Amino acid sequence: MKQNIDWENLRLFLAVAKAGGLAGAAARTRISAATLGRRVSALERSLNLRLVEREARGYLLTPAGQKLLLQLEDMDQVAQSITAWRDTGQAKRRIRISGGEWTTRLLMDNLDGFWSPEADWTPEFLADPRNRDVARRQIDIGVRNQRPKQEWLAGQRVGSVSFAIYQSATVPADDDLGLIGPVENEGLFPTGIWIRENHADEVSITVNKASLALMLVRKGHARMLLPMFVGEAYPDLVRTTEPIEELQTERWLVMHQDERHEPLVRQAVSALARLLKTDPVLKPD
């Protein structure tokens, strides 16, 4: 017979995972390290999974432990919202909005265009290379580059995104600048694959974060492939190519079918759609 999961064991495992071991978790929870160790072991037995590797320097999460941590972080956010609601007598609905790094930056730069503190909901931005799962309610709204295919998801098209290559306006047009190539997760995106397949011999610098690479471009060290809503926002950059047709993508707001008619989610979707349909650009300092 499977054991029921003890919710307190989950809470204490989260504390241990965040602290990286028993000592740090004991200081935060005011529960003895011995008790915390027993609780983690009991949770492992109830799940029939090894969640941690017990090392001299602390606890190292196993792959199963890392997956559980992701789930518990979402639960922790909900618990914090409930606590805030209890303490204030009113709690606004958090609308979790997920997108790529540039898209999240775009939304944050244009926050006044779709949200105000007087709204009945509050935005929570999640910029992450992982494609967070709308179906499992890890997020409420995802900004995606294609129509959702699963029948339990709903989508609204809100425009498209074009790409081009940019360089610093201070660099003479005939200078033979190298191109920045993305690596690690960003190298697996369509833009990274396009550079590798079409301009690999021009890559002079590789970077794993596009936002960091942009600084190199603005200082005149290299050229860079950018979404045009980024490149066109910087007056110190010039576009050196026409929009690259094969890289153009659609832009969709994706939400769960069961949530699309929930009033506050609908408010947030409508507000985001109004903004994105205007083709906004970043607002650099």
Side-chain angles (χ1 to χ4, degrees):
M1 178 182 295
K2 292 184 178 180
Q3 300 181 45
N4 291 328
I5 299 175
D6 188 318
W7 291 97
E8 182 66 3
N9 287 349
L10 291 171
R11 183 182 75 84
L12 295 179
F13 169 78
L14 176 62
V16 171
K18 284 186 172 182
L22 298 177
R28 294 182 185 181
T29 62
R30 298 183 181 180
I31 296 174
S32 72
T35 298
L36 289 170
R38 288 194 296 271
R39 290 285 197 159
V40 171
S41 295
L43 180 60
E44 289 181 317
R45 288 194 298 273
S46 68
L47 295 173
N48 196 27
L49 291 169
R50 180 177 292 279
L51 301 174
V52 297
E53 298 291 349
R54 295 156 175 83
E55 300 185 342
R57 295 184 179 181
Y59 278 9
L60 179 67
L61 295 183
T62 65
Q66 292 171 352
K67 290 181 180 179
L68 179 59
L69 175 60
L70 289 176
Q71 302 295 323
L72 293 178
E73 284 177 338
D74 292 336
M75 292 174 56
D76 189 46
Q77 290 293 324
V78 173
Q80 291 180 31
S81 293
I82 293 172
T83 300
W85 171 71
R86 180 201 64 191
D87 293 343
T88 63
Q90 55 182 355
K92 291 187 176 183
R93 165 74 185 269
R94 283 184 311 110
I95 303 294
R96 293 163 296 179
I97 304 166
S98 168
E101 187 174 355
W102 287 128
T103 297
T104 303
R105 166 78 186 278
L106 177 71
L107 297 179
M108 295 174 69
D109 277 2
N110 292 276
L111 183 63
D112 291 344
F114 68 92
W115 181 82
S116 72
E118 291 74 35
D120 293 328
W121 58 278
T122 59
E124 179 177 301
F125 296 109
L126 299 167
D128 200 313
R130 293 175 299 170
N131 198 8
R132 291 181 184 259
D133 197 339
V134 181
R136 293 171 58 196
R137 314 298 176 91
Q138 291 179 334
I139 58 169
D140 298 297
I141 302 170
V143 187
R144 300 288 185 257
N145 61 9
Q146 59 184 345
R147 179 196 296 269
K149 297 181 174 61
Q150 298 92 331
E151 61 182 13
W152 54 86
L153 297 180
Q156 178 179 349
R157 185 175 177 181
V158 290
S160 61
V161 178
S162 296
F163 293 81
I165 293 177
Y166 292 81
Q167 71 178 42
S168 169
T170 63
V171 177
D174 57 354
D175 269 23
D176 189 21
L177 283 180
L179 193 64
I180 292 179
V183 292
E184 295 185 347
N185 285 330
E186 296 204 6
L188 303 176
F189 296 159
T191 48
I193 295 171
W194 182 84
I195 290 174
R196 190 163 60 248
E197 291 180 346
N198 296 276
H199 297 276
D201 58 336
E202 299 175 42
V203 172
S204 59
I205 304 173
T206 56
V207 182
N208 73 337
K209 281 287 185 181
S211 57
L212 299 177
L214 180 58
M215 294 188 296
L216 296 174
V217 176
R218 297 183 69 191
K219 291 180 179 179
H221 295 299
R223 296 173 294 135
M224 183 179 180
L225 178 66
L226 285 168
M228 290 181 63
F229 69 79
V230 178
E232 299 298 315
Y234 288 87
D236 57 344
L237 296 182
V238 293
R239 181 158 51 88
T240 63
T241 68
E242 293 298 316
I244 300 166
E245 184 175 350
E246 62 196 280
L247 287 178
Q248 180 170 308
T249 62
E250 297 178 347
R251 181 184 274 153
W252 287 78
L253 295 178
V254 178
M255 71 286 320
H256 198 283
Q257 280 281 13
D258 294 344
E259 290 283 303
R260 66 182 302 188
H261 299 301
E262 198 279 324
L264 295 181
V265 173
R266 189 169 68 245
Q267 284 183 30
V269 169
S270 296
L272 285 166
R274 284 195 300 271
L275 170 74
L276 293 174
K277 286 179 179 180
T278 66
D279 292 325
V281 296
L282 297 191
K283 297 180 179 179
D285 298 332

